[in-house]
Amino acid sequence: MIDPLFIPVAVGGAVLGVLVTLLGLLSAPVDRRLRLSRVAALVGAYLAAEAVVIVSGFGLWLARPLLRARWEKVNLRLLRGVLRFVVTAAGRLVAFRLTVREPPAGTVDCAGRPVLVASRHAGVGDSFALVHLLLDRYQRTPRVVLLASLQLDPAIDILLGRLDACFLRTEGADPTAPARVHDLATRLTSRDALVIFPEGANFTARRRRRVIRGLRLRGQSSRAAVAENLAHVLPPRPAGVLAALDARTVGGTAVVAHTGLDLLVTPGLVWQALPLTAPMELRWWWFPADELPPTGTERADWLTMNWAVVDAWIDSRRSPNPLPTSSDS
């Protein structure tokens, strides 16, 4: 349900962002990196995009009887345009860049079927970049499995909700999750990408410690041992991936790793890092459906093994000094 009060709030926030941006320019002698202006301008741009989505979404809802079969296509076009705007704004304002390492040419063949995308989840904005990549480069319609709390963002609620997203309760507390993911997977069409984050939450070192402690308290010593061996990712929860694969609709699975934004887990670290000096690096591996293990237990082990590969790749990409020091200000 759209809260109409959010429109003036978003517009007012966007205007305030412009004013703070101008004010921040006055701090140039003190902060040569103009971090206040960069942050304010990016927040203002995002809030302006939110207002556009709400107004446009309402207009599309009114026109739905006329759109009929084109309903999903026009909402997909709106999502693509908004993400392109946000990613472009991030590039110009905070120097966000994305580099992608793909499997060798000719090795990826989904036989005209949908794909499953199992991605690492860490850092501010990583899911936006991933969905933008799927839409813009690979021309896939994203069907995203994500937390229900993200519906508090009106743009996410409107656009992903209209694109058959699956909103789940947090921290694995939704017993209906596997059945709902399975049901979503059965409805996939040839150009769809089912996006799932097996860790279940955004990675932070504190959350990693909490997960390990919780596994030990529940007597899951083997999973706790796996988690302790993973330095940069949380142990994957296989239920959603297994439910998607059990639908037997996907032509293959892309396992996605990325780094570059994952260390920016607090406002202070984000502030210290601006403008960004290193790109977000993303790599994915391709696994055809007919090459995956046949049973659920073997598939769960396969996922855990590939998460260890993701962890090792992230470790290999870490630079000795990933963040600027205070002397850079």
Side-chain angles (χ1 to χ4, degrees):
M1 186 174 183
I2 301 173
D3 184 354
L5 292 178
F6 192 84
I7 298 176
V9 170
V11 173
V15 172
L16 181 61
V18 173
L19 296 176
V20 175
T21 299
L22 297 175
L23 181 63
L25 295 176
L26 300 177
S27 68
V30 178
D31 183 8
R32 288 173 294 176
R33 288 189 270 154
L34 298 175
R35 288 170 289 191
L36 179 60
S37 292
R38 294 177 188 276
V39 171
L42 185 57
V43 171
Y46 185 81
L47 289 174
E50 289 270 1
V52 169
V53 169
I54 295 173
V55 174
S56 301
F58 181 66
L60 291 176
W61 179 76
L62 292 176
R64 184 169 185 172
L66 301 175
L67 295 172
R68 297 181 182 178
R70 298 178 58 234
W71 168 253
E72 184 173 276
K73 184 178 294 186
V74 295
N75 281 283
L76 191 64
R77 189 178 303 153
L78 178 59
L79 175 62
R80 181 182 287 111
V82 168
L83 284 177
R84 188 175 294 165
F85 169 77
V86 171
V87 171
T88 300
R92 293 180 177 176
L93 296 171
V94 299
F96 171 78
R97 291 169 291 143
L98 175 65
T99 61
V100 181
R101 295 181 61 189
E102 302 172 318
T107 62
V108 177
D109 181 11
C110 58
R113 296 164 64 188
V115 299
L116 174 63
V117 178
S119 177
R120 183 212 187 188
H121 191 19
V124 57
D126 69 315
S127 53
F128 286 86
L130 176 61
V131 174
H132 170 68
L133 184 68
L134 290 171
L135 276 166
D136 215 50
R137 178 181 294 202
Y138 301 116
Q139 301 296 306
R140 289 276 173 175
T141 301
R143 313 292 183 183
V144 188
V145 179
L146 68 170
L147 297 178
S149 58
L150 292 173
Q151 289 179 286
L152 294 174
D153 184 311
I156 292 176
D157 187 31
I158 293 168
L159 291 176
L160 294 188
R162 292 179 180 181
L163 295 175
D164 212 11
C166 184
F167 293 100
L168 305 177
R169 285 184 299 215
T170 186
E171 295 297 327
D174 190 342
T176 68
R180 293 174 59 201
V181 172
H182 181 274
D183 182 60
L184 175 57
T186 62
R187 301 195 303 272
L188 297 176
T189 60
S190 61
R191 295 302 303 170
D192 287 348
L194 176 56
V195 182
I196 191 166
F197 301 95
E199 292 162 287
N202 207 3
F203 173 87
T204 65
R206 179 179 297 178
R207 181 169 282 129
R208 173 181 174 272
R209 292 192 295 268
R210 190 170 71 238
V211 167
I212 292 172
R213 185 166 57 250
L215 290 172
R216 293 211 175 277
L217 288 174
R218 294 194 296 273
Q220 300 179 29
S221 56
S222 59
R223 288 199 67 204
V226 168
E228 287 175 335
N229 287 326
L230 300 174
H232 310 294
V233 295
L234 301 176
R237 295 171 175 172
V241 172
L242 299 185
L245 292 175
D246 286 344
R248 300 182 182 278
T249 53
V250 300
T253 300
V255 174
V256 180
H258 63 79
T259 187
L261 298 178
D262 43 344
L263 294 177
L264 308 181
V265 296
T266 67
L269 289 174
V270 173
W271 180 265
Q272 186 183 2
L274 294 179
L276 303 175
T277 56
M280 174 181 173
E281 294 186 73
L282 184 146
R283 178 174 179 177
W284 57 278
W285 296 265
W286 176 250
F287 301 91
D290 57 4
E291 295 183 12
L292 294 183
T295 68
T297 300
E298 291 173 327
R299 285 176 175 174
D301 292 340
W302 166 85
L303 180 63
T304 300
M305 180 189 69
N306 277 282
W307 233 243
V309 173
V310 168
D311 187 71
W313 180 83
I314 295 167
D315 194 68
S316 72
R317 305 307 298 170
R318 286 285 170 85
S319 61
N321 298 297
L323 294 177
T325 63
S326 57
S327 61
D328 295 329
S329 59

